[in-house]
Amino acid sequence: MKTGKVFLVGAGPGDIGLITVKGLEAIKQAEVILYDRLANPKLLEFAPADCELIYCGKLPDRHTLRQENINDLLVAKALEDKMVVRLKGGDPGVFGRVGEEAAALADYQIPFEVVPGISSGIAAPLYAGIPVTHREYAESFAVVTAHDKSKDGKPLLHWEGLARGVDTIAFYMGVGNLPFICENLITHGKQANTPVILIQWGTFGRQRTLQGTLADITAKVAEAKFSNPAIILVGEVISLREKISWFEKKPLYGRQIVLARTGESPSQLAKELQEQGADVIEFPKWKKTAVPVDLEKASAYEKILFASPESVGEFFSALVENRVDIRNINADFFGASVKTIKALNERGFCASLAAEMPDSGELLIIGDDSILKNKPEYGDTLVTSKKVVDSQFFPIFKRMLEEAEVNTMVFPSSAAVEPFFEALKECEIDAREFFKSLHVICMGKQTMAAVETAGLKQAEMPEKATKQALIALLAGKPFVAE
């Protein structure tokens, strides 16, 4: 009987750029992914379109799937001869229960690999401006679970060893036990004025920090209603934060943005916003299915207009599949956008924007099935794929909204407006409730008109419809929900 293979992958602490190359390659090849609450759901977008996604999210007070069920599911999917990825937040070997899952696979002689990830206990402090070790402040570092299998959930630790022998201590998921932690560290030798910082959602744009001392941090946490997921860091090295904090100084730090999505490919706009410190949730997620392409008459046209960057790749793939030599096609190439022109340039073709296309000459428009809806007054069409909203991501989107505190909505084009509202409806999300406290940004006058037609009257536009102008608007005008 054939069996598949399981990759036990560390997703890193949240920022998707922190996943390892090997971990990302495993996701790209996966047929099944079992993912945790603390693994950034944006990583799932790198999976193949037909990949089965299974949520195993755990909260301190409840489990979607218990560990035994997860173990059984890993075995069952592998025995179906599937390539399975178990995606865990942080590093799977640091309180990730990877040993239990690996042992279950070994019992069935199922091949597996463990792919390490960046641990939150190190990454979250660095994003808060704190190295966990430093020659002057901290020559030792410990990671400690703050919630274990003891009867009352209080960690059974060697408190004297921690308090007297370790300079920097990172407690994982310990907000509920914070009073117990502080009391025991003071009782066993730590000074009451030892610095403490809590880092919630470390490395995400929604990262929050709360600083105090062992003596007063419990009261501060209660007043701020601070909650998990959070790393509790204890040690004198925290004093470096004021000087070397960097992430929270990014221009878009604190912006939690929903970006209306129109294409299947990763958005460069989303990437730029993230690099500037924002949290970005793209919605809806699209997927494409190929359709048979008839290229018999393609050589008869004088102009070919590509409707999207994706249509360029689909057209050239169809040429290869149908054994059609590109040299037999004599048409001038045009693109509907700058990104489409770039896709053509990368294949060695000098193309022009659609606005520069002459009126004369036979025209062929190439793209997904949306070109049938938006077909111009003249020209023939060649559909290379069908684009549909991926409903598998609806529950993922709803969970992302629950975890975040979205304050900004960006519509990059007029074509993004109607599909976004339709997808909200399919998610059973009330649009009026969703938008009532959001700063809505439209990229251009046509987009603004489409948004107003949809019923939103208080949208705003950047000075120009560019990434730089959008970032300047978002960075220069802090938005506070009423």
Side-chain angles (χ1 to χ4, degrees):
M1 178 179 176
K2 290 184 67 177
T3 62
K5 186 172 181 177
V6 177
F7 287 80
L8 305 165
V9 176
D15 181 340
I16 63 170
L18 296 180
I19 192 170
T20 64
V21 173
K22 188 169 185 178
L24 189 59
E25 286 302 311
I27 291 171
K28 289 178 178 179
Q29 299 173 45
E31 294 174 278
V32 182
I33 297 178
L34 285 76
Y35 65 101
D36 279 350
R37 175 193 177 211
L38 297 182
N40 192 332
K42 288 182 70 66
L43 290 169
L44 302 175
E45 297 189 6
F46 292 96
D50 57 352
C51 180
E52 182 183 3
L53 307 177
I54 302 172
Y55 183 53
C56 305
K58 297 180 182 179
L59 290 167
D61 58 342
R62 62 186 183 277
H63 298 316
T64 298
L65 284 178
R66 302 202 68 83
Q67 188 62 52
E68 310 81 61
N69 302 126
I70 294 170
N71 296 349
D72 292 343
L73 202 50
L74 287 172
V75 169
K77 293 298 180 181
L79 291 176
E80 293 174 10
D81 194 24
K82 297 284 181 67
M83 156 63 162
V84 183
V85 167
R86 174 75 172 102
L87 193 61
K88 298 168 163 292
D91 180 274
V94 180
F95 310 127
R97 303 183 75 169
V98 72
E100 298 170 49
E101 294 172 355
L105 296 168
D107 286 342
Y108 286 84
Q109 298 184 323
I110 293 169
F112 65 88
E113 292 188 28
V114 181
V115 182
I118 297 174
S119 182
S120 302
I122 297 172
L126 281 174
Y127 270 56
I130 306 163
V132 294
T133 63
H134 188 279
R135 287 192 299 174
E136 294 181 19
Y137 296 96
E139 294 184 344
S140 56
F141 168 62
V143 293
V144 181
T145 179
H147 189 91
D148 63 17
K149 294 175 69 175
S150 55
K151 186 176 180 180
D152 57 0
K154 301 289 193 297
L156 297 173
L157 304 171
H158 190 281
W159 289 106
E160 187 171 357
L162 282 174
R164 297 183 182 277
V166 181
D167 296 323
T168 308
I169 312 169
F171 291 93
Y172 284 57
M173 303 298 281
V175 176
N177 283 328
L178 183 61
F180 179 78
I181 292 168
C182 293
E183 178 186 341
N184 275 278
L185 288 176
I186 293 172
T187 299
H188 290 87
K190 283 283 186 197
Q191 295 296 313
N193 63 354
T194 302
V196 180
I197 190 169
L198 275 73
I199 308 160
Q200 183 187 60
W201 290 112
T203 79
F204 282 88
R206 73 190 78 146
Q207 174 178 300
R208 290 175 62 209
T209 55
L210 184 64
Q211 193 166 338
T213 65
L214 286 174
D216 64 16
I217 192 65
T218 296
K220 287 185 175 183
V221 165
E223 183 180 355
K225 298 180 179 178
F226 220 79
S227 63
N228 285 319
I231 293 293
I232 301 168
L233 199 72
V234 180
E236 297 295 338
V237 74
I238 294 168
S239 60
L240 291 170
R241 166 177 159 77
E242 186 174 344
K243 186 174 184 178
I244 65 173
S245 176
W246 61 276
F247 180 64
E248 293 167 20
K249 293 177 181 177
K250 287 196 169 192
L252 299 188
Y253 170 74
R255 284 281 182 174
Q256 298 187 50
I257 301 170
V258 172
L259 176 65
R261 191 173 192 166
T262 55
E264 183 191 20
S265 301
S267 165
Q268 289 301 309
L269 176 57
K271 183 179 179 182
E272 184 64 31
L273 293 172
Q274 289 162 2
E275 288 176 353
Q276 297 299 321
D279 251 351
V280 183
I281 300 173
E282 294 182 78
F283 182 75
K285 169 75 165 59
W286 298 89
K287 64 179 181 179
K288 286 189 174 182
T289 55
V291 298
V293 178
D294 182 5
L295 296 171
E296 187 177 341
K297 297 180 180 178
S299 59
Y301 293 92
E302 298 163 87
K303 302 177 295 184
I304 294 181
L305 171 62
F306 292 89
S308 67
E310 294 87 353
S311 66
V312 175
E314 291 164 358
F315 175 73
F316 281 91
S317 294
L319 288 178
V320 173
E321 290 171 8
N322 289 274
R323 300 187 62 81
V324 175
D325 195 318
I326 187 64
R327 290 170 293 186
N328 294 332
I329 297 176
N330 299 312
D332 291 326
F333 286 174
F334 298 88
S337 67
V338 173
K339 287 172 66 176
T340 308
I341 297 295
K342 184 180 178 182
L344 287 163
N345 291 343
E346 288 172 351
R347 292 181 177 272
F349 294 92
C350 293
S352 303
L353 285 168
E356 303 169 19
M357 191 166 55
D359 294 333
S360 60
E362 292 293 315
L363 170 65
L364 177 64
I365 305 161
I366 296 176
D368 60 47
D369 56 335
S370 65
I371 63 174
L372 302 177
K373 181 179 178 181
N374 303 310
K375 182 181 175 183
E377 294 179 3
Y378 72 101
D380 298 327
T381 56
L382 179 64
V383 174
T384 51
S385 64
K386 289 185 177 180
K387 186 174 77 170
V388 296
V389 172
D390 190 344
S391 59
Q392 190 174 202
F393 277 79
F394 287 169
I396 295 172
F397 175 63
K398 293 176 79 170
R399 280 195 295 272
M400 292 172 80
L401 289 182
E402 290 170 3
E403 302 281 15
E405 294 180 4
V406 174
N407 51 38
T408 308
M409 177 75 219
V410 176
F411 288 101
S413 67
S414 57
V417 178
E418 185 180 343
F420 184 85
F421 276 83
E422 290 176 354
L424 276 187
K425 188 183 296 183
E426 289 192 58
C427 278
E428 298 181 339
I429 296 174
D430 180 80
R432 186 178 302 177
E433 186 69 21
F434 176 80
F435 283 106
K436 74 176 183 180
S437 60
L438 297 188
H439 184 193
V440 180
I441 311 288
C442 301
M443 298 293 282
K445 294 180 180 179
Q446 285 185 321
T447 309
M448 176 73 84
V451 165
E452 289 177 348
T453 300
L456 301 180
K457 304 299 182 185
Q458 296 184 340
E460 190 173 3
M461 285 193 305
E463 290 186 9
K464 295 181 180 179
T466 64
K467 288 184 287 189
Q468 293 75 17
L470 173 63
I471 290 166
L473 172 63
L474 294 173
K477 185 178 180 182
F479 177 72
V480 179
E482 295 180 359

